[in-house]
Amino acid sequence: MDAQSRGRAEEIDPADQWVLNPRTGNYELRLGHSPAQQHSVTTPRRIRRSPAAPPAPASPAVPKPRRGEGPPGGRRSGRPRRTGGGGGASARRRRRLAITGGTLAFLLLGGGLGSYLYYEHLNGNLKVIDTGGAGGSFKKDQPINILVIGTDKRSGAGNQGYGDADSVGHADTTILFHVSKDRSNATALSIPRDLITDIPVCPTKQNGSVKQIPATKGSRFNNSLGQEGRDPGCTMRTVKQLTGLEVDNFMMVDFNAVKELSTAVGGVPVCVAKDVNDRDSKLNLKAGEHRLQGEQALAFVRTRHAFGNESDLDRIKTQQQFLSSMMREMKSKETLTSPKKFFSLAEAATKSLTVDQGLGSIGKLTDLAGELKDMNLKNITFTTLPVLDNPNEPPGRKATVVVNSSQADPLLEMIRGDVSLTEVEKKEQAAKEAAGAKQEALLQGNRSPAGDVRVDVYNGGGPPGSASTTLAWLQNSKGVYKASNHGNASARLAATQLEFAPNQADMARALADMMGLSATALKVGTVDAGPKTPMKLTLGSDFKEPGAPLGTPEAPQQAPDGLQRVEADKAVCAK
């Protein structure tokens, strides 16, 4: 029976799917009886090795199969099966488990027709949504902001007990995953679903045309998805407006993702501080440690009555603890060296994911994974956007919350400023401090006369007409006669930016003084400019009017007191 006909519920050992291609003498990965692969299913013929050929050296990695050799983790064609000593099924199983994650990646991407078909098979699992320009795509050498959305839409067998019966789905669980520019740390910011906020105008593609869904004031955050036809792009726009952070991409999953991923990894370890018996979620656990998968794992992250004060905020903490444990499990040696877990995770993850076009292929997801692969779990922190009970609700109701600005503002400044909530390695912190000092040094030095300043002004996020307003202000109020208005920029920026060449530093400092630019707004190039080449000033979303302070201020270095957090490398008992 081939891999596809066995069904998703049964684990398939990929080593069993390698078959000899008699046309080439090489082994290839067989996924099913497609016409292109029928020749790969014939009975292998024995191919003799030349007596002069030296024995292959022992290696922990599995090389590409050579003519006449068996598949990775399997046995050589035509050689009798051993029944005694160290051979047999147990020995072969041990050899298969010795395959490393790096070798598996090699098999997936470099193993001929079967590997190509499996790659395309995984691509076909992904669901892709066009968000109409709500995000862009993550970039190397820049911070990354990925929005992870868990929807309560009922889909899949066994999920009728969860979510709203007739709902198209809400943004039930939302986490903004911010990865620092130097990839040394990350902050996972949970946004409560019952937060009262404003949802901006949202263009969505429906039935081949674009529909403008009107903005709403004072709505629950979870209505940013599904309701009135809103797509994940609407949630991305809402998060950007709420946090001031550009959202690069999104990943969306439903209830089935928790069940399938937890099963694929072999269960997720959790700890509960007391006996739990929640009739609504059907979670029934004794105090202590457990390994949960499938329905039990879903019940654990969905329960609202088992822990804390039975609020959604306490459920968020439980979900953060579960996700931290799943991350530890995925990075464990037992997972990375298990072919079954590796392939099961690949299947479960791709079948569970809905992504934007910027992440709409296995290649793009692999690029993202490459940006994150070296990050230490101790430098990943989960936290929740600080909130307060909604003061406009009747006493005792406590159904919705509002932003607690006294804690949320400094927290968001830290995230925007790439400041870790955990203690990163000293050398990494020293490098960040050195980079900050180098940036501040750009403001130290001579200033050019206003009449010598050459600059092109673009509007990349300010109010309409900002470029022309700024041009008139520079020329009439500041004497910058060599300024030009270039209209709208090709891309939107969250913060105003001044780009200049090294030999334009005096002009840049003069313009920074006039515009109120901080050091973080200055971007110096590597090549000197010509004598009449202008600098480039792009007004970002932070621009309100000429002369008002611009650029990202120095971010706080310490988290606000009392901030809720869960560190990804530490196991915590839910209580």
Side-chain angles (χ1 to χ4, degrees), residues 39-157:
H39 63 270
S40 296
V41 190
T42 58
T43 303
R45 58 188 175 88
R46 183 171 183 177
I47 301 176
R48 296 181 182 275
R49 185 194 296 269
S50 170
S59 172
V62 180
K64 182 177 179 180
R66 295 185 295 176
R67 184 181 298 269
E69 291 182 331
R75 60 190 181 91
R76 184 176 175 182
S77 173
R79 179 166 292 181
R81 184 186 301 270
R82 294 183 179 178
T83 57
S90 62
R92 288 194 303 278
R93 195 172 298 116
R94 287 194 297 272
R95 288 195 296 273
R96 289 168 186 166
L97 291 178
I99 300 176
T100 66
T103 304
L104 283 168
F106 167 78
L107 296 180
L108 279 175
L109 301 178
L113 175 63
S115 299
Y116 168 77
L117 291 175
Y118 188 65
Y119 183 93
E120 291 302 303
H121 165 72
L122 292 179
N123 269 330
N125 286 345
L126 292 170
K127 296 177 283 293
V128 183
I129 290 178
D130 183 353
T131 60
S137 188
F138 72 90
K139 300 176 180 63
K140 291 183 179 295
D141 303 319
Q142 292 296 324
I144 299 175
N145 293 311
I146 305 292
L147 193 65
V148 181
I149 306 171
T151 175
D152 59 0
K153 181 178 180 180
R154 292 184 176 184
S155 61

Side-chain angles (χ1 to χ4, degrees), residues 427-503:
K427 63 180 181 180
E428 295 168 346
Q429 189 64 33
K432 292 183 72 172
E433 291 173 356
K438 182 178 179 181
Q439 193 71 20
E440 287 293 334
L442 294 175
L443 290 175
Q444 307 301 317
N446 298 325
R447 269 74 171 160
S448 297
D452 293 341
V453 174
R454 295 179 181 271
V455 62
D456 291 340
V457 183
Y458 295 80
N459 186 7
S466 292
S468 59
T469 301
T470 301
L471 175 66
W473 178 81
L474 285 172
Q475 291 180 337
N476 299 329
S477 300
K478 297 297 180 181
V480 181
Y481 305 118
K482 297 175 183 177
S484 301
N485 172 15
H486 282 252
N488 292 330
S490 58
R492 293 179 63 85
L493 297 180
T496 296
Q497 180 175 274
L498 176 61
E499 300 173 69
F500 61 97
N503 62 336

Side-chain angles (χ1 to χ4, degrees), residues 39-379:
H39 63 270
S40 296
V41 190
T42 58
T43 303
R45 58 188 175 88
R46 183 171 183 177
I47 301 176
R48 296 181 182 275
R49 185 194 296 269
S50 170
S59 172
V62 180
K64 182 177 179 180
R66 295 185 295 176
R67 184 181 298 269
E69 291 182 331
R75 60 190 181 91
R76 184 176 175 182
S77 173
R79 179 166 292 181
R81 184 186 301 270
R82 294 183 179 178
T83 57
S90 62
R92 288 194 303 278
R93 195 172 298 116
R94 287 194 297 272
R95 288 195 296 273
R96 289 168 186 166
L97 291 178
I99 300 176
T100 66
T103 304
L104 283 168
F106 167 78
L107 296 180
L108 279 175
L109 301 178
L113 175 63
S115 299
Y116 168 77
L117 291 175
Y118 188 65
Y119 183 93
E120 291 302 303
H121 165 72
L122 292 179
N123 269 330
N125 286 345
L126 292 170
K127 296 177 283 293
V128 183
I129 290 178
D130 183 353
T131 60
S137 188
F138 72 90
K139 300 176 180 63
K140 291 183 179 295
D141 303 319
Q142 292 296 324
I144 299 175
N145 293 311
I146 305 292
L147 193 65
V148 181
I149 306 171
T151 175
D152 59 0
K153 181 178 180 180
R154 292 184 176 184
S155 61
N159 291 328
Q160 283 65 40
Y162 303 101
D164 297 332
D166 301 316
S167 174
V168 294
H170 301 79
D172 190 58
T173 298
T174 305
I175 298 174
L176 181 61
F177 194 73
H178 171 83
V179 183
S180 66
K181 180 178 178 179
D182 64 5
R183 307 296 186 256
S184 68
N185 65 88
T187 300
L189 179 70
S190 294
I191 301 176
R193 67 175 195 175
D194 295 324
L195 173 69
I196 297 299
T197 189
D198 296 336
I199 300 175
V201 174
C202 180
T204 63
K205 292 190 175 182
Q206 300 179 13
N207 301 320
S209 62
V210 177
K211 177 183 177 182
Q212 296 287 338
I213 301 175
T216 60
K217 296 281 188 180
S219 178
R220 266 186 167 93
F221 173 81
N222 67 351
N223 288 329
S224 65
L225 176 69
Q227 311 310 300
E228 302 181 42
R230 294 187 178 98
D231 65 11
C234 300
T235 309
M236 295 170 75
R237 290 180 170 90
T238 304
V239 169
K240 176 184 175 181
Q241 179 175 276
L242 180 64
T243 65
L245 287 156
E246 292 283 346
V247 181
D248 299 306
N249 305 96
F250 84 86
M251 297 179 177
M252 184 170 68
V253 296
D254 59 16
F255 292 140
N256 282 326
V258 176
K259 295 194 292 187
E260 294 176 7
L261 287 172
S262 61
T263 300
V265 81
V268 176
V270 301
C271 174
V272 293
K274 61 182 180 181
D275 292 350
V276 173
N277 188 3
D278 182 0
R279 289 178 295 178
D280 290 342
S281 68
K282 308 296 189 296
L283 181 66
N284 192 338
L285 299 173
K286 293 292 185 183
E289 297 180 355
H290 303 268
R291 183 174 285 270
L292 305 183
Q293 61 183 356
E295 289 290 345
Q296 271 196 316
L298 180 57
F300 185 82
V301 299
R302 291 293 301 163
T303 182
R304 290 190 64 167
H305 306 297
F307 309 113
N309 60 8
E310 303 186 12
S311 70
D312 185 58
L313 297 178
D314 281 294
R315 179 168 66 173
I316 287 175
K317 288 190 284 188
T318 304
Q319 292 169 347
Q320 293 171 349
Q321 293 163 6
F322 182 87
L323 290 173
S324 296
S325 183
M326 180 178 283
M327 292 170 68
R328 293 193 297 272
E329 197 67 17
M330 287 181 174
K331 293 197 73 168
S332 68
K333 181 180 178 182
E334 289 74 15
T335 298
L336 294 177
T337 58
S338 168
K340 284 190 175 183
K341 288 185 179 181
F342 182 91
F343 280 83
S344 295
L345 277 170
E347 286 290 331
T350 53
K351 286 181 178 178
S352 300
L353 278 178
T354 300
V355 297
D356 62 277
Q357 291 176 312
L359 291 178
S361 71
I362 298 302
K364 293 175 180 177
L365 288 171
T366 301
D367 289 342
L368 176 60
E371 295 293 309
L372 309 180
K373 63 182 176 64
D374 295 326
M375 188 178 299
N376 195 314
L377 288 178
K378 72 178 183 180
N379 292 332

